[in-house]
mmCIF file of all heavy atoms in Angstrom:
data_model
loop_
_atom_site.group_PDB
_atom_site.id
_atom_site.type_symbol
_atom_site.label_atom_id
_atom_site.label_comp_id
_atom_site.label_asym_id
_atom_site.label_seq_id
_atom_site.Cartn_x
_atom_site.Cartn_y
_atom_site.Cartn_z
ATOM 1 N N ILE A 90 -0.099 2.512 -8.885
ATOM 2 C CA ILE A 90 -0.316 1.340 -8.035
ATOM 3 C C ILE A 90 0.234 1.582 -6.627
ATOM 4 O O ILE A 90 -0.427 1.301 -5.620
ATOM 5 C CB ILE A 90 0.326 0.094 -8.664
ATOM 6 C CG1 ILE A 90 -0.413 -0.290 -9.956
ATOM 7 C CG2 ILE A 90 0.319 -1.087 -7.683
ATOM 8 C CD1 ILE A 90 0.237 -1.415 -10.742
ATOM 9 N N ASN A 91 1.439 2.131 -6.554
ATOM 10 C CA ASN A 91 2.040 2.390 -5.246
ATOM 11 C C ASN A 91 1.344 3.545 -4.524
ATOM 12 O O ASN A 91 1.308 3.568 -3.288
ATOM 13 C CB ASN A 91 3.532 2.683 -5.403
ATOM 14 C CG ASN A 91 4.363 1.431 -5.559
ATOM 15 O OD1 ASN A 91 4.785 0.814 -4.584
ATOM 16 N ND2 ASN A 91 4.584 1.026 -6.801
ATOM 17 N N ALA A 92 0.799 4.477 -5.286
ATOM 18 C CA ALA A 92 0.047 5.570 -4.664
ATOM 19 C C ALA A 92 -1.212 5.031 -3.994
ATOM 20 O O ALA A 92 -1.603 5.509 -2.921
ATOM 21 C CB ALA A 92 -0.305 6.622 -5.703
ATOM 22 N N VAL A 93 -1.858 4.049 -4.613
ATOM 23 C CA VAL A 93 -3.021 3.408 -3.985
ATOM 24 C C VAL A 93 -2.609 2.777 -2.656
ATOM 25 O O VAL A 93 -3.291 2.927 -1.635
ATOM 26 C CB VAL A 93 -3.636 2.345 -4.922
ATOM 27 C CG1 VAL A 93 -4.683 1.518 -4.174
ATOM 28 C CG2 VAL A 93 -4.266 2.999 -6.135
ATOM 29 N N LEU A 94 -1.482 2.090 -2.660
ATOM 30 C CA LEU A 94 -0.992 1.453 -1.431
ATOM 31 C C LEU A 94 -0.646 2.490 -0.375
ATOM 32 O O LEU A 94 -0.952 2.319 0.814
ATOM 33 C CB LEU A 94 0.236 0.594 -1.742
ATOM 34 C CG LEU A 94 -0.023 -0.681 -2.542
ATOM 35 C CD1 LEU A 94 1.290 -1.290 -3.006
ATOM 36 C CD2 LEU A 94 -0.812 -1.682 -1.715
ATOM 37 N N ALA A 95 0.001 3.577 -0.787
ATOM 38 C CA ALA A 95 0.370 4.624 0.166
ATOM 39 C C ALA A 95 -0.870 5.282 0.765
ATOM 40 O O ALA A 95 -0.925 5.556 1.969
ATOM 41 C CB ALA A 95 1.249 5.668 -0.525
ATOM 42 N N LEU A 96 -1.880 5.520 -0.054
ATOM 43 C CA LEU A 96 -3.119 6.114 0.446
ATOM 44 C C LEU A 96 -3.806 5.206 1.459
ATOM 45 O O LEU A 96 -4.298 5.670 2.493
ATOM 46 C CB LEU A 96 -4.069 6.399 -0.722
ATOM 47 C CG LEU A 96 -3.792 7.638 -1.565
ATOM 48 C CD1 LEU A 96 -4.719 7.672 -2.772
ATOM 49 C CD2 LEU A 96 -3.967 8.912 -0.742
ATOM 50 N N THR A 97 -3.849 3.920 1.152
ATOM 51 C CA THR A 97 -4.533 2.981 2.052
ATOM 52 C C THR A 97 -3.754 2.800 3.348
ATOM 53 O O THR A 97 -4.356 2.628 4.415
ATOM 54 C CB THR A 97 -4.741 1.618 1.367
ATOM 55 O OG1 THR A 97 -3.477 1.099 0.900
ATOM 56 C CG2 THR A 97 -5.672 1.753 0.168
ATOM 57 N N LEU A 98 -2.421 2.837 3.283
ATOM 58 C CA LEU A 98 -1.634 2.763 4.513
ATOM 59 C C LEU A 98 -1.810 4.048 5.329
ATOM 60 O O LEU A 98 -1.926 4.012 6.558
ATOM 61 C CB LEU A 98 -0.156 2.543 4.188
ATOM 62 C CG LEU A 98 0.794 2.493 5.394
ATOM 63 C CD1 LEU A 98 0.398 1.387 6.360
ATOM 64 C CD2 LEU A 98 2.237 2.302 4.936
ATOM 65 N N ASN A 99 -1.863 5.179 4.647
ATOM 66 C CA ASN A 99 -2.057 6.456 5.332
ATOM 67 C C ASN A 99 -3.407 6.515 6.034
ATOM 68 O O ASN A 99 -3.559 7.225 7.033
ATOM 69 C CB ASN A 99 -1.941 7.605 4.331
ATOM 70 C CG ASN A 99 -2.116 8.966 4.980
ATOM 71 O OD1 ASN A 99 -1.369 9.348 5.871
ATOM 72 N ND2 ASN A 99 -3.142 9.696 4.540
ATOM 73 N N PHE A 100 -4.373 5.771 5.537
ATOM 74 C CA PHE A 100 -5.688 5.771 6.163
ATOM 75 C C PHE A 100 -5.620 5.301 7.610
ATOM 76 O O PHE A 100 -6.327 5.824 8.476
ATOM 77 C CB PHE A 100 -6.647 4.883 5.369
ATOM 78 C CG PHE A 100 -8.059 4.889 5.891
ATOM 79 C CD1 PHE A 100 -8.835 6.029 5.791
ATOM 80 C CD2 PHE A 100 -8.613 3.758 6.487
ATOM 81 C CE1 PHE A 100 -10.141 6.050 6.283
ATOM 82 C CE2 PHE A 100 -9.907 3.772 6.973
ATOM 83 C CZ PHE A 100 -10.677 4.922 6.869
ATOM 84 N N ILE A 101 -4.758 4.322 7.881
ATOM 85 C CA ILE A 101 -4.616 3.872 9.273
ATOM 86 C C ILE A 101 -3.471 4.584 9.987
ATOM 87 O O ILE A 101 -3.546 4.819 11.189
ATOM 88 C CB ILE A 101 -4.433 2.339 9.365
ATOM 89 C CG1 ILE A 101 -3.248 1.855 8.527
ATOM 90 C CG2 ILE A 101 -5.701 1.634 8.963
ATOM 91 C CD1 ILE A 101 -2.939 0.379 8.681
ATOM 92 N N MET A 102 -2.420 4.960 9.257
ATOM 93 C CA MET A 102 -1.299 5.653 9.894
ATOM 94 C C MET A 102 -1.642 7.097 10.219
ATOM 95 O O MET A 102 -1.473 7.564 11.352
ATOM 96 C CB MET A 102 -0.070 5.624 8.977
ATOM 97 C CG MET A 102 0.800 4.407 9.105
ATOM 98 S SD MET A 102 2.286 4.526 8.064
ATOM 99 C CE MET A 102 3.038 6.016 8.701
ATOM 100 N N GLY A 103 -2.106 7.817 9.211
ATOM 101 C CA GLY A 103 -2.320 9.247 9.359
ATOM 102 C C GLY A 103 -3.576 9.619 10.102
ATOM 103 O O GLY A 103 -3.594 10.598 10.857
ATOM 104 N N TYR A 104 -4.646 8.836 9.922
ATOM 105 C CA TYR A 104 -5.921 9.191 10.521
ATOM 106 C C TYR A 104 -6.196 8.445 11.822
ATOM 107 O O TYR A 104 -6.906 8.958 12.687
ATOM 108 C CB TYR A 104 -7.059 8.943 9.524
ATOM 109 C CG TYR A 104 -6.982 9.835 8.324
ATOM 110 C CD1 TYR A 104 -6.592 9.340 7.087
ATOM 111 C CD2 TYR A 104 -7.271 11.189 8.407
ATOM 112 C CE1 TYR A 104 -6.495 10.165 5.981
ATOM 113 C CE2 TYR A 104 -7.185 12.029 7.304
ATOM 114 C CZ TYR A 104 -6.793 11.505 6.085
ATOM 115 O OH TYR A 104 -6.688 12.327 4.995
ATOM 116 N N ALA A 105 -5.666 7.233 11.960
ATOM 117 C CA ALA A 105 -5.921 6.456 13.178
ATOM 118 C C ALA A 105 -4.694 6.301 14.057
ATOM 119 O O ALA A 105 -4.799 5.835 15.195
ATOM 120 C CB ALA A 105 -6.461 5.072 12.811
ATOM 121 N N GLY A 106 -3.517 6.677 13.533
ATOM 122 C CA GLY A 106 -2.304 6.544 14.323
ATOM 123 C C GLY A 106 -1.855 5.106 14.510
ATOM 124 O O GLY A 106 -1.168 4.789 15.477
ATOM 125 N N ILE A 107 -2.247 4.228 13.575
ATOM 126 C CA ILE A 107 -1.863 2.813 13.642
ATOM 127 C C ILE A 107 -0.719 2.582 12.663
ATOM 128 O O ILE A 107 -0.902 2.652 11.450
ATOM 129 C CB ILE A 107 -3.044 1.893 13.284
ATOM 130 C CG1 ILE A 107 -4.221 2.138 14.235
ATOM 131 C CG2 ILE A 107 -2.625 0.429 13.318
ATOM 132 C CD1 ILE A 107 -5.484 1.413 13.832
ATOM 133 N N PHE A 108 0.466 2.321 13.174
ATOM 134 C CA PHE A 108 1.640 2.122 12.329
ATOM 135 C C PHE A 108 1.824 0.634 12.053
ATOM 136 O O PHE A 108 2.199 -0.131 12.945
ATOM 137 C CB PHE A 108 2.886 2.707 12.992
ATOM 138 C CG PHE A 108 2.914 4.213 12.983
ATOM 139 C CD1 PHE A 108 2.123 4.939 13.865
ATOM 140 C CD2 PHE A 108 3.713 4.900 12.082
ATOM 141 C CE1 PHE A 108 2.132 6.318 13.851
ATOM 142 C CE2 PHE A 108 3.732 6.287 12.062
ATOM 143 C CZ PHE A 108 2.939 6.999 12.939
#
Side-chain angles (χ1 to χ4, degrees):
I90 293 173
N91 280 273
V93 170
L94 290 169
L96 282 173
T97 55
L98 178 58
N99 181 60
F100 184 68
I101 56 175
M102 273 184 59
Y104 295 107
I107 301 172
F108 287 76

